[in-house]
């Protein structure tokens, strides 16, 4: 009787093992897909960052030539200041303070960012990080 009982237990364990192996295969496949998606996102990010860098380089180059821009302001454009100023305008528009859109992330900008992050269930850091900017400035259709 014990031998029969052991045989049934072994059979059940083997069935569970096969089920677990199938589940592991599914999880590995899912992990591979996630890795591919992550790698693609990294490539797209690098491409976007490179494009932004090239654009800023072209704008800075054009900024030195008054005939191209019609402007006598020949200062270069700092990407981080441009992002900060854009975020400050968006925070103002959404009612998170009366911020000066100067591109400088000071205490007022940090406080406004924290309030926005809290209101949108984001990780509250006070920084103008990617998740904050994605919600704050979702696209070109949202004018600042």
């Amino acid at each position: 009787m014990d031998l029969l009982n052991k045989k049934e237990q072994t059979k059940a364990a083997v069935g569970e093992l096969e089920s677990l192996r199938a589940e592991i295969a599914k999880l590995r496949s899912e992990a591979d897909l996630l890795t591919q998606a992550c790698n693609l996102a990294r490539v797209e990010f690098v491409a976007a960052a490179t494009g932004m860098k090239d654009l800023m380089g072209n704008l800075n180059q054009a900024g030195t030539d008054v005939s191209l821009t019609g402007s006598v302001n020949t200062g270069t454009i700092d990407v981080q200041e441009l992002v900060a100023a854009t975020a400050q305008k968006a925070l103002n528009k959404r009612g998170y303070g009366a911020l000066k859109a100067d591109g400088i992330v000071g205490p007022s900008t940090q406080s406004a960012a924290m309030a926005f992050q809290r209101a949108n269930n984001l990780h509250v850091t006070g920084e103008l990080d990617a998740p904050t900017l994605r919600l704050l400035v979702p696209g070109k259709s949202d004018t600042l």
Side-chain angles (χ1 to χ4, degrees):
M1 191 71 164
D2 279 340
L3 190 57
L4 188 59
N5 196 12
K6 290 286 185 188
K7 187 176 180 183
E8 290 297 319
Q9 288 176 346
T10 303
K11 192 175 181 181
V14 168
E16 286 180 35
L17 180 61
E18 290 303 317
S19 174
L20 290 173
R21 283 185 179 155
E23 191 66 31
I24 288 171
K26 286 181 193 175
L27 291 172
R28 281 190 179 138
S29 177
E30 204 172 311
D32 288 343
L33 289 173
L34 289 172
T35 300
Q36 289 173 5
C38 182
N39 289 338
L40 179 61
R42 283 186 180 134
V43 168
E44 288 176 357
F45 176 75
V46 168
T50 302
M52 179 62 91
K53 184 178 178 184
D54 291 345
L55 175 63
M56 288 297 129
N58 291 340
L59 286 173
N60 287 330
Q61 182 65 32
T64 61
D65 186 353
V66 174
S67 66
L68 292 176
T69 63
S71 173
V72 293
N73 180 2
T74 59
T76 59
I77 299 169
D78 182 293
V79 176
Q80 289 181 334
E81 286 182 12
L82 183 62
V83 169
T86 302
Q88 288 165 330
K89 289 176 188 177
L91 286 165
N92 281 338
K93 183 179 178 184
R94 294 171 187 250
Y96 288 95
L99 303 171
K100 182 177 178 184
D102 57 6
I104 298 168
V105 180
S108 296
T109 302
Q110 288 174 334
S111 293
M114 288 171 71
F116 177 80
Q117 289 165 338
R118 226 176 268 112
N120 288 279
N121 297 318
L122 296 172
H123 183 65
V124 179
T125 63
E127 295 177 17
L128 299 174
D129 53 16
T132 302
L133 292 171
R134 254 192 308 276
L135 281 180
L136 187 58
V137 188
K140 294 178 183 176
S141 63
D142 186 23
T143 41
L144 295 175

